[in-house]
Amino acid sequence: MSAGLHVAVDTGGTFTDIGIRKDDGELFVWKVPSTPEAPNEAVIDGIVGGLEQIDRSPEEITRLVHGTTVATNTVLTREGGRVGLLTTRGFRDVLAIAHQDRPAIYDYRQTRPAPLISDDTIFEVDERIDADGEVLTELDEAALDQLAETIASADLDVLIVSFINAYTNGQHERAAVKRLTELNAAPVVSAATEVATEMREYDRTSTAAINAYVRPKVSTYMEKLEAGIEDLKIPSRLWVMQSNGGLLNPKMASTQSAKTVLSGLAGGVVGAANWARSLGLKNVVSFDIGGTSTDIALIRDGVPDETNFTEIDSMPLRLPSVDVHTIGAGGGSIAWLDSGGSLRVGPHSAGAVPGPISYRRGGTELTVTDAHAVLGRLGGELLGGRFELDIDAARARMEEFGKTLGLTAEECAEGIIKVITATMARGVRKVSVERGVDIRSCNLMSFGGAGPLHGADLAVELGMESAVIPPHPGIASAVGMLDAPIRHDFAHPVQANEWTRLEPLEAAFGDLQDQARREMETDEFDREWLVDARYVGQSYELTLPLENSWHEQRRAFDEAHAERYGYSDDDAALEIIVVRLRATIESERTREAQAKAGTGAPEPKTTRQVYIDGSWTEVDIYDRDAIPAGTSIPGPIIIDQFDTTTFVHPSLTCFCDDRGFLHLRTRKSDDDDK
């Protein structure tokens, strides 16, 4: 175990969260307002401010981990670099044509977001490689030299070279990148296969385009952040959270920037997976609620589901990432009436500014947070008294809104909570029931600023085993990063089937290991081999561990297919089209502080009237720090802490384990444990 302080910083839209783990395992949490125009300032201010609170210095930091939203926000706000594309003649429209699926097939008003690369910065050159990697038309080097001047006049930040079928043979891409770099066609020239090495031309080109688009901002951000860390004389190297739940260094983050698109979100899933393993929970649904959205992921036996394909702003990103289902439901989700006069909540949000009415920032529309305030689940202040709520203003607006529905303020507020609970429940079923997992066997790991307010409602609604609240749920994404491993993923296209068996994979193994050694600058890493397999004729694959023989591989695939889709096909032929290497270096585990045991039931700090299931009820309010390990308290109760508020439904009991986790379980299951 390394001595010193372990620090994680997670940048959010409203707050930047700081988690500091001391030498003895005790965790200190801190929050500072985010600085969207210069996010590195909030990171540095947060580190300095958090250390001042515990009277420690930056020189004591031995591990520094950061989750960033720079790449995500750059895409969503369309404030990235000026990017050009050089492609095979005849394929300039690959980004505009995109996929032919339609998210709303009968809505003629539906439009796709514009590609990140405009038509006037797309260039073509003669060359062609077939799907087997054979050269059909040599790269026209003379035309490439002439084109370099035209490309240079476009004043690009980044030029990507994406040739058809380059994933099978990248020689033309590499040659074009080398020559255009020599001719200074653009400040940065890169090949699409440097980012994504798999089949599907649109997906591969889109991934390269996203990477190029966010690269200038991410690299500039990393430079400023590293300079600030150096000024503080922090001895630790900076590690950056990436979408796959692992860490990479700032240099890689600057060039492979698309890998950080789900950076902060992944931290929470990694934390939930670590907690699931340590608590011995088999099936866990990670449930992270923020101000605008809820991020939901399935964790089986301590391992989160992963995917090799995701989207951002409807654009494909073919890179490994935690498999998260995001819905537009959060504390800032706005209540409204549809054309039929029915109550709806979300997906649009009041955001951080102006925010909920109760936040005193000029908000005028009712949100989920306002509903909690009106129901009494939230008191008059948050963040340990640093943030006051205007409950009277929220109630006045709730009364006005409720009249249109024929409801009192309390009935209207409870209706908002029920509607958002139903929306969240659909999201939980999406990652559990639809993947062949019985929701009743799952535990809900509730975190984020609003997760503990909703955990009990979801557990009751879905009949789950329990809702589990970690010790510091409001900054769980930051805490989760502290124990994340260094991780790099590599992929190589192959063609293996029942006739070739696993033999074609051997050559790919060596190539991938060589790549891993170069990129990670060491041979000391754990290796996990995976394959992408499918029945011949299918359009998409399942990723599963590599087995020792073709027979075992076939059996494993059939089982995985049956679990995911409800059937397997004994008559269909199997093929493997990609082999993957997941290379990791595990972090040194630090011991965690244990919750203090008590000799009796804790005393509530106060009581408050809370509207529950149609009536006002006197409810005990507890400070979380005052609840000792081994204590069970029957609901209804409310538990306050610096970064969140936990609501315990009357049908549940709250049990605090020896690590400080709260387990909200039905009275029957809690009695059975005793």
Side-chain angles (χ1 to χ4, degrees):
M1 182 181 72
S2 60
L5 302 176
H6 290 192
V7 177
V9 184
D10 179 38
T11 301
T14 307
F15 292 103
T16 293
D17 301 333
I18 298 90
I20 304 174
R21 184 176 290 158
K22 303 177 187 177
D23 317 60
D24 61 0
E26 182 183 354
L27 190 67
F28 174 78
V29 302
W30 188 244
K31 284 177 176 278
V32 296
S34 293
T35 51
E37 296 303 316
N40 55 292
E41 294 180 4
V43 173
I44 299 300
D45 290 345
I47 293 173
V48 173
L51 292 174
E52 287 177 349
Q53 296 298 312
I54 59 174
D55 196 25
R56 303 291 287 267
S57 67
E59 290 88 346
E60 298 178 77
I61 297 175
T62 58
R63 182 174 174 83
L64 180 58
V65 184
H66 176 41
T68 173
T69 57
V70 170
T72 310
N73 293 339
T74 298
V75 174
L76 298 179
T77 60
R78 295 301 177 101
E79 295 178 348
R82 180 170 168 80
V83 181
L85 168 65
L86 175 63
T87 190
T88 307
R89 188 171 303 282
F91 291 87
R92 63 176 294 117
D93 295 322
V94 64
L95 292 177
I97 294 172
H99 289 146
Q100 290 307 295
D101 58 334
R102 294 290 185 270
I105 193 169
Y106 298 114
D107 186 354
Y108 67 90
R109 298 164 297 182
Q110 186 82 16
T111 58
R112 293 181 182 274
L116 297 177
I117 302 176
S118 60
D119 190 65
D120 63 332
T121 59
I122 299 178
F123 312 94
E124 298 174 293
V125 68
D126 288 318
E127 71 82 37
R128 191 63 187 268
I129 290 175
D130 69 14
D132 294 322
E134 297 296 324
V135 176
L136 300 180
T137 303
E138 292 288 350
L139 175 65
D140 190 336
E141 295 181 358
L144 189 67
D145 286 359
Q146 294 177 357
L147 193 59
E149 188 174 340
T150 303
I151 295 173
S153 66
D155 193 26
L156 302 175
D157 294 309
V158 184
L159 174 72
I160 58 172
V161 180
S162 182
F163 291 151
I164 298 304
N165 295 322
Y167 69 94
T168 62
N169 181 351
Q171 70 179 71
H172 283 178
E173 278 194 358
R174 293 191 295 271
V177 168
K178 183 175 183 294
R179 185 56 180 159
L180 292 172
T181 300
E182 293 171 346
L183 296 173
N184 296 315
V188 176
V189 183
S190 65
T193 46
E194 294 176 3
V195 184
T197 58
E198 302 166 43
M199 62 182 285
R200 298 189 176 90
E201 298 304 329
Y202 169 54
D203 293 1
R204 188 167 61 87
T205 305
S206 172
T207 301
I210 293 170
N211 189 74
Y213 189 73
V214 303
R215 180 172 174 169
K217 279 216 167 186
V218 172
S219 60
T220 299
Y221 172 65
M222 288 297 156
E223 289 174 7
K224 291 180 178 179
L225 189 55
E226 285 197 287
I229 291 169
E230 186 177 345
D231 290 342
L232 290 178
K233 295 182 172 56
I234 295 174
S236 168
R237 184 176 192 176
L238 174 66
W239 293 103
V240 181
M241 194 73 190
Q242 52 181 322
S243 305
N244 63 11
L247 306 175
L248 75 169
N249 62 54
K251 180 181 178 182
M252 289 296 301
S254 296
T255 57
Q256 303 277 316
S257 306
K259 292 181 178 180
T260 67
V261 165
L262 302 180
S263 175
L265 178 152
V269 179
V270 170
N274 288 336
W275 299 325
R277 284 194 297 272
S278 65
L279 295 172
L281 302 177
K282 181 175 177 58
N283 292 327
V284 167
V285 175
S286 171
F287 189 64
D288 182 1
I289 308 180
T292 302
S293 62
T294 297
D295 301 314
I296 310 169
L298 179 64
I299 299 166
R300 313 185 214 205
D301 296 318
V303 179
D305 280 8
E306 293 193 13
T307 180
N308 296 310
F309 174 84
T310 187
E311 290 186 344
I312 179 170
D313 201 19
S314 301
M315 294 176 291
L317 189 61
R318 188 161 284 278
L319 291 171
S321 68
V322 292
D323 194 356
V324 175
H325 177 59
T326 300
I327 58 175
S333 294
I334 294 172
W336 53 286
L337 301 181
D338 63 19
S339 58
S342 297
L343 176 63
R344 305 285 295 276
V345 185
H348 40 298
S349 171
V353 179
I357 293 172
S358 56
Y359 275 15
R360 302 173 181 264
R361 292 179 174 173
T364 58
E365 299 193 78
L366 286 171
T367 66
V368 172
T369 296
D370 294 318
H372 285 300
V374 170
L375 294 174
R377 295 187 180 187
L378 293 176
E381 57 187 33
L382 301 175
L383 297 179
R386 294 166 58 196
F387 194 93
E388 292 188 1
L389 298 180
D390 189 345
I391 297 178
D392 291 339
R395 175 177 291 280
R397 181 69 183 94
M398 193 72 72
E399 288 178 350
E400 180 183 345
F401 187 81
K403 287 179 181 178
T404 62
L405 294 167
L407 302 174
T408 65
E410 294 81 6
E411 291 170 337
C412 184
E414 195 165 60
I416 290 172
I417 299 302
K418 288 181 178 179
V419 170
I420 203 69
T421 297
T423 300
M424 294 173 177
R426 286 194 296 273
V428 173
R429 292 188 185 98
K430 186 82 175 176
V431 305
S432 55
V433 177
E434 293 187 20
R435 297 182 188 176
V437 176
D438 187 344
I439 189 64
R440 295 168 298 181
S441 70
C442 294
N443 300 271
L444 190 73
M445 190 71 71
S446 303
F447 55 94
L453 274 170
H454 293 269
D457 293 331
L458 265 295
V460 172
E461 173 80 10
L462 295 168
M464 303 178 78
E465 281 206 359
S466 71
V468 182
I469 317 297
H472 300 283
I475 66 157
S477 290
V479 175
M481 296 174 197
L482 286 172
D483 296 319
I486 299 168
R487 174 175 159 181
H488 293 246
D489 291 278
F490 306 90
H492 196 294
V494 295
Q495 185 59 52
N497 52 43
E498 294 180 357
W499 293 273
T500 66
R501 306 292 178 171
L502 299 178
E503 290 181 12
L505 278 57
E506 293 296 329
F509 292 161
D511 290 343
L512 294 181
Q513 289 202 83
D514 289 343
Q515 289 182 48
R517 292 187 188 102
R518 289 194 301 270
E519 194 166 298
M520 303 181 77
E521 300 176 341
T522 180
D523 191 43
E524 300 297 320
F525 54 83
D526 296 326
R527 296 157 173 82
E528 183 178 0
W529 295 101
L530 306 164
V531 295
D532 287 5
R534 64 187 181 185
Y535 293 130
V536 173
Q538 287 184 316
S539 297
Y540 293 94
E541 308 80 44
L542 291 177
T543 300
L544 61 161
L546 174 69
E547 302 294 342
N548 293 321
S549 69
W550 184 263
H551 174 73
E552 293 176 71
Q553 197 70 64
R554 173 63 193 244
R555 183 177 59 189
F557 178 81
D558 287 341
E559 290 174 355
H561 198 280
E563 180 181 8
R564 186 64 182 266
Y565 300 111
Y567 77 99
S568 60
D569 190 344
D570 295 337
D571 296 325
L574 179 70
E575 63 178 350
I576 296 173
I577 63 169
V578 175
V579 62
R580 301 181 184 275
L581 170 59
R582 183 180 297 162
T584 58
I585 301 175
E586 292 294 333
S587 64
E588 291 186 67
R589 299 287 175 177
T590 55
R591 62 181 180 181
E592 297 182 0
Q594 300 293 302
K596 295 179 180 179
T599 57
E603 291 294 324
K605 64 177 181 179
T606 187
T607 61
R608 185 166 67 235
Q609 288 287 318
V610 180
Y611 194 82
I612 303 173
D613 296 336
S615 62
W616 287 101
T617 304
E618 189 79 9
V619 173
D620 289 336
I621 314 297
Y622 292 85
D623 270 328
R624 182 158 185 176
D625 290 341
I627 301 177
T631 301
S632 289
I633 309 174
I637 61 170
I638 288 175
I639 304 169
D640 287 337
Q641 62 187 97
F642 174 76
D643 52 339
T644 193
T645 300
T646 300
F647 169 71
V648 182
H649 191 271
S651 64
L652 304 178
T653 291
C654 175
F655 171 73
C656 180
D657 68 19
D658 60 3
R659 295 181 54 209
F661 285 76
L662 303 181
H663 301 256
L664 314 187
R665 304 180 290 205
T666 62
R667 299 281 182 88
K668 182 178 184 301
S669 65
D670 192 59
D671 292 341
D672 289 344
D673 287 346
K674 296 177 182 179

